[in-house]
Amino acid sequence: MNQPLSNDQSRRDFIAGFGALAGFSLLTLAGCSRSDKVRVGFMLPYTGTYAQLGVAIENGFRLALDQQGGTLGGRDVEYFRVDDESNPAKATDNANKIITRDKVDVVVGTVHSGVAMGMIKVARETDTLLIIPNAGADAATGELCAPNVFRTSFSNWQPTHPLGKVMVENGHRKAVFITWKYAAGEQAVKSFAEGYTAAGGTVVKELFVPFPNVEFQALLTEIAALRPDAVACFFAGGGAVKFVKDYAAAGLKGKIPLYGSGFLTEGVLDAQGDAAEGIITTLHYAESLDNPRNKAFRAAYLAAYDSQADVYAVQGYDTGLLLIQALEKVGGDFTNRNAVIAAMEGAVIDSPRGRWTMSKAHNPIQDFYARRVENGHNKVIGVAWKALEDPALGCKM
Ligand code: BEZ
């Protein structure tokens, strides 16, 4: 049987209950946990061939927020990090760690398409907001598109789609494509073949190296024997440095022109040195873009990190800009999920790469530039494709 409560006890309970109720109402009105910090989780590679890319993304993101006082929607920000090592086998465990252990409001990640696939699975299962600041896995904004999954970079279909047209315009009708054997390389060559064939070219051979191997010698010998008009490729980070140097060392530079998606020469030109001179690529950014936004961004990035910004830094920066815009619209209330998503869908990003908007499938609609390496810089030589939108095959949103 319950004991009757004393008057004192009843009064204490009433006050405690009222306090809790009042607190609950205030939190509910203001959006619960408004007084807490926004929890941002970076799941990026900090080791391995893509380590430099992960660091540049985080740097870019932090710069965007620091330029606005370090807050999101008026709330302080707490950062969490997981090194995904560009290892797809650990992707779901790592994503679960940052989502359930660190209880982040938003995950920013990652670079590698295979790792991104695991993250998307977990983000969909847990309904966590995920912003992909690099990985181009087509499915992310194709058949696996979801209201809570956004991308601020590109789909793998995008950068190599305009490349074939550029190569045919330069008179190269027979090409070999060489890349790593994983989703990003396979999707890059598929898109390249579509665009190149449509422009009148023929892919005479597709060559693959397991990721992240950099033993290119046997395949370079095969390329020399095939004698195509040109070679196109997808490599990035440390692998891109090794490939470009090996291509020159094998005596192919100056004999068979080398093309690629622009990752081939992003953030690595110093390490590639003379071997990179003359390479032509297509990408949604170039350090030489002549607009005030790009100049200001590059100067600020150099001052903050004592290193030159690249496309990965821009993608991280734009991820920050996207969240800044969205959280400003909802007054910092992350719990107002539909309004956050609507704000992200309607965002116009005034980026160093040029202005871009979100497609219905949550992927950037953006310009792609043709660039040529001249004196150690990616010089813009034209707009290869204006406002290119990924076809978003299979997206049902
Ligand atoms: C990818 O795996 O999607 C990727 C990695 C590096 C550069 C570009 C794409």
Side-chain angles (χ1 to χ4, degrees):
M1 206 171 102
N2 289 340
Q3 295 293 322
L5 295 173
S6 71
N7 277 351
D8 262 10
Q9 181 68 45
S10 306
R11 200 173 55 245
R12 276 201 303 275
D13 285 356
F14 174 76
I15 290 167
F18 180 78
L21 196 65
F24 173 76
S25 317
L26 280 174
L27 279 175
T28 310
L29 280 176
C32 70
S33 79
R34 276 287 307 279
S35 55
D36 294 343
K37 293 179 177 173
V38 177
R39 299 166 79 86
V40 174
F42 293 118
M43 180 165 153
L44 291 165
Y46 295 107
T47 53
T49 198
Y50 287 160
Q52 195 185 318
L53 288 57
V55 170
I57 288 168
E58 181 176 336
N59 285 348
F61 184 97
R62 284 176 181 266
L63 179 63
L65 265 61
D66 289 348
Q67 287 179 336
Q68 316 272 334
T71 57
L72 277 174
R75 294 168 59 192
D76 287 337
V77 178
E78 189 168 3
Y79 292 106
F80 300 83
R81 293 165 115 215
V82 166
D83 176 9
D84 69 36
E85 306 165 42
S86 295
N87 185 347
K90 296 185 181 169
T92 52
D93 277 358
N94 279 330
N96 271 315
K97 212 182 279 172
I98 202 150
I99 289 169
T100 39
R101 181 196 64 190
D102 298 333
K103 301 197 176 0
V104 296
D105 294 302
V106 55
V107 180
V108 174
T110 187
V111 168
H112 183 287
S113 277
V115 177
M117 293 298 283
M119 296 177 74
I120 293 162
K121 181 173 174 290
V122 178
R124 288 170 62 109
E125 283 166 6
T126 57
D127 196 25
T128 304
L129 186 61
L130 168 64
I131 309 181
I132 303 171
N134 185 73
D138 287 337
T141 52
E143 68 261 31
L144 293 180
C145 72
N148 57 315
V149 176
F150 285 80
R151 181 155 50 198
T152 51
S153 50
F154 55 88
S155 72
N156 287 328
W157 178 86
Q158 282 178 308
T160 42
H161 181 74
L163 184 61
K165 183 169 74 87
V166 170
M167 288 171 64
V168 168
E169 280 166 5
N170 287 346
H172 310 308
R173 291 182 178 275
K174 280 193 321 168
V176 166
F177 199 100
I178 178 168
T179 184
W180 274 314
K181 184 144 190 73
Y182 83 100
E186 288 165 340
Q187 291 168 4
V189 63
K190 183 164 179 275
S191 163
F192 171 75
E194 273 170 34
Y196 192 47
T197 310
T202 305
V203 180
V204 292
K205 187 113 192 204
E206 295 174 6
L207 298 171
F208 295 96
V209 188
F211 178 85
N213 281 13
V214 290
E215 300 311 319
F216 302 118
Q217 202 47 57
L219 296 182
L220 291 172
T221 305
E222 189 174 344
I223 289 172
L226 286 165
R227 305 213 319 205
D229 294 346
V231 171
C233 67
F234 161 79
F235 290 109
V241 175
K242 177 80 166 36
F243 181 73
V244 165
K245 288 187 139 186
D246 285 6
Y247 195 86
L252 297 178
K253 180 175 157 54
K255 290 204 183 112
I256 307 176
L258 181 57
Y259 287 77
S261 52
F263 310 109
L264 186 66
T265 56
E266 274 299 307
V268 289
L269 281 172
D270 283 351
Q272 289 166 334
D274 280 352
E277 287 294 305
I279 294 176
I280 294 179
T281 59
T282 45
L283 199 68
H284 48 293
Y285 179 67
E287 71 263 30
S288 60
L289 276 177
D290 190 12
N291 70 61
R293 192 83 178 93
N294 188 36
K295 286 186 177 140
F297 163 73
R298 297 194 64 80
Y301 191 93
L302 182 62
Y305 304 110
D306 196 22
S307 76
Q308 295 291 343
D310 55 20
V311 71
Y312 312 107
V314 171
Q315 292 166 175
Y317 188 72
D318 288 3
T319 305
L321 295 184
L322 179 66
L323 275 176
I324 289 166
Q325 265 192 41
L327 286 209
E328 225 166 65
K329 280 233 168 86
V330 298
D333 183 4
F334 239 119
T335 63
N336 194 351
R337 170 61 75 91
N338 290 343
V340 172
I341 287 174
M344 286 171 66
E345 287 174 335
V348 177
I349 304 296
D350 186 14
S351 165
R353 72 180 97 166
R355 198 164 291 218
W356 62 267
T357 54
M358 270 301 167
S359 73
K360 269 201 181 137
H362 297 176
N363 190 66
I365 302 173
Q366 57 193 334
D367 294 346
F368 278 77
Y369 307 99
R371 310 115 43 95
R372 182 170 49 229
V373 179
E374 285 179 16
N375 302 318
H377 294 284
N378 287 298
K379 184 173 171 229
V380 176
I381 53 174
V383 177
W385 211 291
K386 267 229 79 67
L388 184 61
E389 180 171 354
D390 177 83
L393 298 177
C395 175
K396 299 273 190 310
M397 261 192 324

